[in-house]
Amino acid sequence: MTDIEAINNELHSQLKDFNYCKISYRVYPSEALRGYKHSQSKAYHQLEKYPLFSMTPAHSRFMEKYIKLQQKKDIKIEPFMFTGEWPDGFVPPTAVENDSYGLAKNALFSEYEINSEYSLYVQLPGDKFVGHFIFHSKLNNIDLNTLLSQKFVKKNLELTHFYLSRTYPSIINPYVNDGKIKKRTLSVLEQVARGANRHETANTLFMSSRGVDYHLEKIRENFKAKNNSDLIRLVKEGCII
């Protein structure tokens, strides 16, 4: 089982009570797509770096087709994705004035028996990333919104985001996925967090002790950490490991 499949299964398990819809989940950095506003293609390319998780294989296939359709038709990305001013509560997709896209979207939704769509963006206190839940259902928009508006729903999703982002940080965290933290550096951090010294880390990862020092020095600079203990505390707080 791949890491993606494992999280898909976790998503299904955590949200099994949402039997009236299918849910996908993705995590973005809190600053979102700042710097990509003037290049739609680069913005889409950046979004592809953040893995998308879905409750079922069928919904994964649907989401793959849906995203490709949006890219093909050059559908504008939501403005708040460029500002990091995340909306509060459940939001429907913005209406798109594109007849060609509308027809293709309706056909795709019909193929998968989907009649409604909503999103929820979750940012927990202290986090520098945002969880995005996407809902699709056979229900109409009014009925889906009514069910999602129940008090316990948002809290359940916040807890799911908390659990997944803390249980699978190296897979979900956007700062790992967009390359700001290199995989090699992440491996060094994980060894040090387990209590390994520089020589043990070097032997485990088949690298030199000087190489270990290099990775730790760079990541300490990025996090403005005083020492390795402070660094491990900061990366754990940031859900990097």
Side-chain angles (χ1 to χ4, degrees):
M1 181 184 296
T2 66
D3 292 334
I4 299 293
E5 290 170 338
I7 298 177
N8 287 344
N9 289 341
E10 285 273 28
L11 188 67
H12 184 272
S13 176
Q14 292 288 319
L15 302 177
K16 60 180 179 295
D17 291 337
F18 289 75
N19 53 16
Y20 50 84
C21 62
K22 301 299 182 186
I23 304 173
S24 293
Y25 169 70
R26 188 180 242 170
V27 179
Y28 309 114
S30 56
E31 68 269 23
L33 297 172
R34 289 176 188 166
Y36 295 91
K37 186 175 182 179
H38 301 294
S39 177
Q40 186 85 357
S41 60
K42 288 183 179 179
Y44 268 119
H45 179 70
Q46 184 67 14
L47 287 177
E48 288 177 350
K49 294 181 179 180
Y50 311 123
L52 181 69
F53 310 100
S54 297
M55 294 175 71
T56 67
H59 197 60
S60 291
R61 291 191 292 272
F62 162 75
M63 287 301 298
E64 182 179 349
K65 292 179 181 179
Y66 190 22
I67 292 169
K68 285 183 178 179
L69 174 62
Q70 291 172 327
Q71 292 175 322
K72 181 179 179 181
K73 299 297 183 180
D74 196 28
I75 301 304
K76 298 297 182 184
I77 294 171
E78 298 280 13
F80 57 78
M81 292 290 290
F82 297 102
T83 64
E85 297 173 352
W86 302 98
D88 185 36
F90 293 91
V91 293
T94 302
V96 176
E97 295 181 4
N98 183 320
D99 292 341
S100 174
Y101 170 72
L103 290 171
K105 177 183 174 181
N106 288 342
L108 178 61
F109 274 41
S110 178
E111 178 186 349
Y112 286 87
E113 300 182 319
I114 291 172
N115 294 314
S116 55
E117 176 182 4
Y118 270 87
S119 285
L120 174 71
Y121 298 88
V122 176
Q123 184 168 23
L124 302 175
D127 282 358
K128 295 182 179 180
F129 51 87
V130 176
H132 179 200
F133 291 94
I134 312 160
F135 309 84
H136 291 100
S137 176
K138 294 181 180 181
L139 301 174
N140 60 46
N141 275 332
I142 294 175
D143 289 342
L144 178 59
N145 186 40
T146 299
L147 288 170
L148 292 177
S149 297
Q150 297 176 87
K151 289 183 178 180
F152 72 90
V153 170
K154 186 176 180 182
K155 189 64 178 178
N156 193 333
L157 294 164
E158 289 174 346
L159 290 171
T160 298
H161 173 58
F162 179 88
Y163 170 76
L164 292 175
S165 61
R166 272 68 180 172
T167 306
Y168 302 96
S170 62
I171 304 167
I172 288 178
N173 193 288
Y175 297 101
V176 175
N177 288 311
D178 65 13
K180 290 181 180 176
I181 298 176
K182 304 299 183 185
K183 295 291 185 181
R184 196 64 164 165
T185 303
L186 186 64
S187 296
V188 171
L189 283 172
E190 289 172 340
Q191 290 299 315
V192 174
R194 294 187 184 110
N197 60 37
R198 62 196 290 270
H199 299 295
E200 292 167 337
T201 299
N203 289 334
T204 299
L205 299 178
F206 302 101
M207 58 192 300
S208 67
S209 295
R210 184 170 294 181
V212 171
D213 291 340
Y214 170 80
H215 284 282
L216 289 174
E217 181 181 351
K218 288 296 183 182
I219 197 69
R220 280 198 304 268
E221 289 176 2
N222 289 344
F223 279 83
K224 296 180 173 57
K226 299 174 184 177
N227 49 47
N228 286 348
S229 296
D230 190 36
L231 172 63
I232 297 305
R233 176 185 63 81
L234 290 169
V235 296
K236 284 186 174 180
E237 288 179 353
C239 298
I240 304 297
I241 61 173

